[in-house]
Amino acid sequence: RFAFAATQGQESGTLYLLKPGQEPLMILPLSKSGVIRLTDGALYIADRGRSEVLKLTNWDRMPNVLTLASAGNGIDDPVGFALDAARKLLYVASGGTRQVLAIDTQSGAVKDILDLDFAPKALEPLGPGPLFALDGLDTGAPVLDTRAQKAALLPVSPASGD
């Protein structure tokens, strides 16, 4: 029925809505496009240049854009994010601050901060559960567990060469 595409030039990017048989429709300018996810009828977008995670709804008519996380929350270069709809939390991997922040999607308040000793490169789901890769999907890469009240890193042991 439709698709979204983000383009990136040297100075800025753009989010487009694509529909069969129609010209691409520009929806939103971006500073530096990042991760895009369609979840529960809303499109979530990371703008790495503006250090924001946005929620886009009603893109067909009059787009409604809500900023869920920004530099004001302590975000710097959001390299990935995950939404926990049941707990109304948005987890954001902030590459510039070397943290994962849990932000309340209703109030915008930061509920939890997990300091990392490395700069995360992503926040990739490892299946339908609460586990997320922070540094790619290689064996031994750090894994975030959001099951507990506070985000935590799972201990990982390197793969043996046997």
Side-chain angles (χ1 to χ4, degrees), residues 15-159:
L15 178 69
Y16 290 96
L17 174 63
L18 309 174
K19 288 186 169 184
Q22 295 182 14
E23 291 290 320
L25 175 64
M26 186 186 112
I27 296 183
L28 183 67
L30 300 169
S31 178
K32 181 180 178 188
S33 59
V35 176
I36 300 172
R37 289 207 177 97
L38 184 62
T39 305
D40 297 328
L43 185 71
Y44 296 85
I45 308 127
D47 188 329
R48 294 179 65 182
R50 288 192 190 114
S51 293
E52 295 177 332
V53 177
L54 308 168
K55 178 181 179 182
L56 175 69
T57 56
N58 202 29
W59 50 79
D60 259 347
R61 294 167 205 87
M62 176 73 80
N64 181 28
V65 180
L66 174 66
T67 302
L68 294 178
S70 68
N73 299 106
I75 305 293
D76 181 18
D77 188 17
V79 295
F81 61 86
L83 185 65
D84 182 340
R87 292 171 46 198
K88 295 182 173 78
L89 290 174
L90 175 72
Y91 292 94
V92 181
S94 178
T97 61
R98 298 164 59 124
Q99 297 174 319
V100 175
L101 295 93
I103 299 170
D104 184 292
T105 58
Q106 301 295 308
S107 69
V110 176
K111 294 294 187 181
D112 190 21
I113 297 174
L114 177 63
D115 292 314
L116 305 171
D117 60 0
F118 62 94
K121 295 180 184 153
L123 188 62
E124 291 293 326
L126 297 173
L131 302 178
F132 300 88
L134 291 166
D135 200 18
L137 301 177
D138 297 330
T139 303
V143 174
L144 175 71
D145 183 356
T146 62
R147 277 183 287 221
Q149 287 292 66
K150 296 181 139 243
L153 288 181
L154 288 179
V156 220
S157 51

